[in-house]
Amino acid sequence: MTDLLQVTRAGFAYRSRQVLSEVSLAFKRGEVVSFLGPNGSGKTTLLKIMLGILQPQTGTVLFEGRPLKTIPRRDFARLVAYVPQVHREAFAYTVEEVVLMGRMPYHSFFSAYSRKDRDIAAAALERLDIFHLRERPYTEISGGERQLALIARALAQGAGVFIMDEPVNGLDYGNQMRLLSGIKVLADEGLTFIMTTHFPDHALMTADRVILLKAGSVIADGPPAQTITREAIFELYRIEVNVVSMNGSGRVCIPVWAS
C-alpha cells in the first residue's frame, strides 16, 4: 500500500542555520503521530514542509505517491487540513461562519455558501459536540472551544488528514483533556493526525507513534512505550523523569524531583 505521506532526506536551513538534516519519514492513513522535541528542533519547519508551505532545500515530499509540489493547492486543501495553535480572529465571526470557511476550497472567491455547505458545517459542529456554540462569536468562546471549532472547520473541509502545531498550547488542563479526547474519537474513526507537542504525557495518551526530533534530526521513531523513555526524555530536555504505569490506565512521565 502506498504511504499516505512520505518525506525523503529532507533538509532545510534558514540562512546559515541548518534546521532539518536528512529527515526521512513515512506516514500511513489512520495513524496518530506526535512529534516531540525541544524548541528549535525543527518540528514546525517539518510540518510546514509537509503542508507545502515551505519547499525542502534537499529531498522530496510525496502525498499518495505524487510529488507534493505538483498537486494544485485547492486539491490539496480538500485532502489535508492545517489546524494552528489556538488564536483569535481579527473579526468576530460566529463559530458557524468559522466552520463554513472550511468549504472555501469548493468555491470561487465570491460565491455564496450553499445549503449543502451549511448542512456539512452543522454536521461537523455536531460531531465535535459544539453545535450549541454555532451562533456565538468565535472571539468569545474558550480556547478549547476555539480549537474544537478549528477541527470542525477542517472536517467541513472534507479533509482526512489533520496537521496540527501544538494544538493544546495556551489551553487550561480541562480544555487540553477535552481536545485530546476529541482527537482520539476522530482517530478511532480512521482520520489521520500528525501533530507536534511539548508534552510527553499527551503523546502517551493519544499517539500510535512518536517521533523524537533533536537538532533537526530524527533520533527515535516508534510506539510511545518504546520511544518515550527516561533516557530519551533526558536527551531531549535534560530533565530526569521516571516513566511509570498507572494501574493499567496508561503511562506517565514524572520528574524525579516530584517522585
Side-chain angles (χ1 to χ4, degrees), residues 92-102 113 118 134 153:
Y93 295 107
T94 67
V95 170
E96 181 182 40
E97 288 169 335
V98 169
V99 175
L100 275 168
M101 291 176 189
Y113 295 120
R118 295 186 181 280
R134 67 192 183 281
R153 181 176 70 181

Side-chain angles (χ1 to χ4, degrees), residues 108-253:
S108 63
F109 187 76
F110 293 106
S111 63
Y113 295 120
S114 66
R115 180 72 263 167
K116 178 182 177 182
D117 294 326
R118 295 186 181 280
D119 289 344
I120 289 172
L125 289 164
E126 289 276 16
R127 200 167 173 188
L128 272 299
D129 198 27
I130 55 172
F131 184 78
H132 62 287
L133 299 175
R134 67 192 183 281
E135 296 180 357
R136 292 273 303 279
Y138 177 81
T139 52
E140 295 180 11
I141 60 177
S142 73
E145 290 166 339
R146 290 199 298 273
Q147 279 295 75
L148 290 173
L150 293 178
I151 295 175
R153 181 176 70 181
L155 287 173
Q157 184 176 321
V161 182
F162 298 74
I163 295 183
M164 311 176 75
D165 191 11
E166 297 180 33
V168 302
N169 186 47
L171 303 187
D172 65 33
Y173 181 75
N175 279 319
Q176 288 179 16
M177 293 302 106
R178 280 185 281 274
L179 179 61
L180 293 174
S181 175
I183 289 171
K184 192 66 176 171
V185 168
L186 293 173
D188 288 343
E189 296 176 10
L191 299 177
T192 303
F193 288 85
I194 301 171
M195 53 190 172
T196 65
T197 181
H198 281 301
F199 300 97
D201 289 343
H202 293 175
L204 285 166
M205 281 189 280
T206 61
D208 303 311
R209 176 181 165 201
V210 175
I211 297 168
L212 306 184
L213 277 175
K214 180 182 179 183
S217 296
V218 175
I219 63 170
D221 178 359
Q226 295 177 19
T227 52
I228 300 178
T229 64
R230 178 175 183 170
E231 295 78 14
I233 296 302
F234 184 79
E235 183 172 357
L236 290 180
Y237 302 110
R238 287 295 184 260
I239 185 171
E240 296 262 3
V241 301
N242 291 316
V243 184
V244 300
S245 297
M246 301 295 289
N247 297 323
S249 61
R251 290 154 59 86
V252 296
C253 294

Side-chain angles (χ1 to χ4, degrees), residues 32-53:
V32 180
V33 182
S34 286
F35 285 95
L36 275 175
N39 291 333
S41 60
K43 301 187 303 296
T44 297
T45 298
L46 183 54
L47 291 193
K48 289 180 178 179
I49 285 173
M50 291 192 293
L51 285 162
I53 297 170

